[in-house]
């Protein structure tokens, strides 16, 4: 059943849990994520990142995502991840996405406020919710991170983290429904153990009167850290790199070493099953089912 991200975030807040939000740039990941959510009977967000346009365009995968969401036995929201332009956000809205992220976090603060507020007006007028980002979420030098590549000195650099008072002002001025906050996670494969600032999440949660806070760079984090982040106030966890790696490992281990010849559909199924298993593990933790 197709739902809005806003509904899922309200439900997550009530349950003091986080909704898993998974990037799905191919049918293997789309099917693996939906199957995992249905088997556990939990809601889920499927999202298309603008940086994955080289893998599959929003025009190709968007309608398929919306159709999978409608057919699913659990509530599914369809979200644009890291929309970088007004055009991409409007395209997602027209394709039936129920939520968009407008990411102007690398622009100066005033521009981020102004552009995000404009997008919120447009999206809210057609019932679509908006996520924005404040603070800098850097990328691991390894893997499929998004946006800006981090310098080693950026890793864990608290100067780039979200300021709680500014987060409160940003939400008041823009009226966004959820906010991606920076507290030590990075996109892509972790080069070293992340050192997460849970006190900062709590401070942002208090300053923003319990706004829905989003964790990007959410795969590759330990179970204990997920639990602490959710207890501190994280309500949506963006997850991709480690389910993508799980699929790659499964194809290599289960297939490429055993026979001389393979049909592609064998590899595709191995990848789907590995993604489903990896996502099942994450969804259990996010929904307190472990
Ligand atoms: P990972 O790279 O940690 O999977 O994060 C994905 C993400 O934050 C998408 O926006």
């Amino acid at each position: 059943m197709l739902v809005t991200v806003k509904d899922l975030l309200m439900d997550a807040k009530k349950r003091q849990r986080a909704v898993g939000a998974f990037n799905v740039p191919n049918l293997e990941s789309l099917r693996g994520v939906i199957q995992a959510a249905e088997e556990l009977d939990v809601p889920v967000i499927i999202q298309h990142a603008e940086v994955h346009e080289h893998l599959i365009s929003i025009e190709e995968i968007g309608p398929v995502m919306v159709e999978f969401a409608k057919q699913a036995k659990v509530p599914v929201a369809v979200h644009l991840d890291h929309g970088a332009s007004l055009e991409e956000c409007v395209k997602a809205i027209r394709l039936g996405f129920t939520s968009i992220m407008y990411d102007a976090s690398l622009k100066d603060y005033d521009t981020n406020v102004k552009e995000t507020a404009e997008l919120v007006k447009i999206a809210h007028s057609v019932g679509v919710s908006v996520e924005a980002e404040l603070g800098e979420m850097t990328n691991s030098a390894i893997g499929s991170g998004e946006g800006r590549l981090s310098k080693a000195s950026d890793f864990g650099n608290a100067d780039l983290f979200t300021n709680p008072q500014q987060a409160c002002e940003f939400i008041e001025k823009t009226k966004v429904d959820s906010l991606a906050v920076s507290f030590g996670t990075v996109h892509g494969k972790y080069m070293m153990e992340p050192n997460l600032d849970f006190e900062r999440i709590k401070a942002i949660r208090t300053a923003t009167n319990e706004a829905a806070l989003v964790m990007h760079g959410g795969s590759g984090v330990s179970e204990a850290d997920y639990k602490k982040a959710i207890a501190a106030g994280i309500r949506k966890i963006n997850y991709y790199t480690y389910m993508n790696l799980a699929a790659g490992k499964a194809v290599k281990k289960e297939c490429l070493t055993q026979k001389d010849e393979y049909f592609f559909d064998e590899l595709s199924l191995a990848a789907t099953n590995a993604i489903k298993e990896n996502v099942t593990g994450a969804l259990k933790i996010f929904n307190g089912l472990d």
Side-chain angles (χ1 to χ4, degrees):
M1 160 204 347
L2 178 66
V3 298
T4 66
V5 167
K6 203 173 172 185
D7 290 341
L8 296 188
L9 292 177
M10 265 161 46
D11 175 62
K13 187 173 164 183
K14 242 186 270 161
R15 297 188 296 127
Q16 297 290 294
R17 303 288 182 218
V19 192
F22 302 89
N23 294 89
V24 290
N26 44 56
L27 278 183
E28 287 75 11
S29 48
L30 183 50
R31 294 180 68 229
V33 169
I34 299 283
Q35 285 173 12
E38 285 185 334
E39 271 183 27
L40 292 174
D41 195 21
V42 296
V44 77
I45 298 169
I46 48 177
Q47 50 190 26
H48 174 72
E50 197 171 337
V51 291
H52 287 158
E53 283 284 310
H54 68 289
L55 298 174
I56 194 157
S57 72
I58 192 167
E59 284 87 355
E60 291 170 299
I61 195 74
V64 186
M65 290 166 71
V66 172
E67 194 51 37
F68 266 71
K70 285 182 182 163
Q71 302 288 334
K73 297 187 194 86
V74 291
V76 180
V78 181
H79 174 75
L80 174 70
D81 188 28
H82 293 284
S85 64
L86 174 76
E87 290 72 21
E88 187 73 5
C89 292
V90 170
K91 214 189 272 180
I93 292 172
R94 290 184 63 126
L95 283 167
F97 282 41
T98 53
S99 171
I100 54 163
M101 174 186 193
Y102 179 60
D103 181 4
S105 61
L106 294 183
K107 299 184 179 173
D108 65 76
Y109 175 74
D110 289 336
T111 308
N112 191 356
V113 170
K114 185 173 164 286
E115 292 185 359
T116 304
E118 278 166 15
L119 240 311
V120 168
K121 266 193 213 145
I122 296 169
H124 281 183
S125 70
V126 287
V128 167
S129 48
V130 181
E131 174 181 329
E133 178 168 323
L134 192 62
E136 282 193 33
M137 209 87 55
T138 56
N139 288 332
S140 158
I142 308 171
S144 49
E146 286 128 21
R148 186 170 77 84
L149 201 68
S150 60
K151 304 190 286 295
S153 59
D154 286 346
F155 197 81
N157 178 357
D159 291 344
L160 303 176
F161 292 177
T162 308
N163 174 305
Q165 293 316 319
Q166 203 176 46
C168 171
E169 185 190 273
F170 185 86
I171 291 172
E172 275 173 14
K173 286 189 169 166
T174 60
K175 310 272 185 291
V176 279
D177 303 283
S178 58
L179 188 66
V181 289
S182 168
F183 59 97
T185 54
V186 293
H187 293 113
K189 192 172 169 188
Y190 281 96
M191 296 176 282
M192 55 186 101
E193 189 82 5
N195 181 15
L196 306 185
D197 186 349
F198 302 105
E199 290 309 312
R200 187 172 298 262
I201 306 173
K202 287 184 200 159
I204 301 170
R205 177 192 195 172
T206 308
T208 61
N209 198 17
E210 299 222 12
L213 304 180
V214 183
M215 173 179 184
H216 279 242
S219 70
V221 171
S222 71
E223 180 167 348
D225 279 358
Y226 283 131
K227 288 183 173 167
K228 283 188 213 160
I230 294 167
I234 289 295
R235 296 289 161 251
K236 171 175 180 266
I237 300 181
N238 278 22
Y239 191 107
Y240 176 62
T241 298
Y242 282 74
M243 73 189 222
N244 189 23
L245 275 174
K249 273 187 200 151
V251 166
K252 189 174 170 198
K253 179 168 164 277
E254 291 171 28
C255 297
L256 296 180
T257 50
Q258 291 172 24
K259 294 192 280 181
D260 287 342
E261 269 195 326
Y262 285 92
F263 292 107
F264 176 71
D265 50 24
E266 295 177 276
L267 308 187
S268 167
L269 272 181
T272 304
N273 291 336
I275 289 171
K276 179 180 169 189
E277 191 185 329
N278 185 277
V279 169
T280 297
L283 283 176
K284 279 187 180 167
I285 301 170
F286 302 168
N287 289 279
L289 300 175
D290 51 327

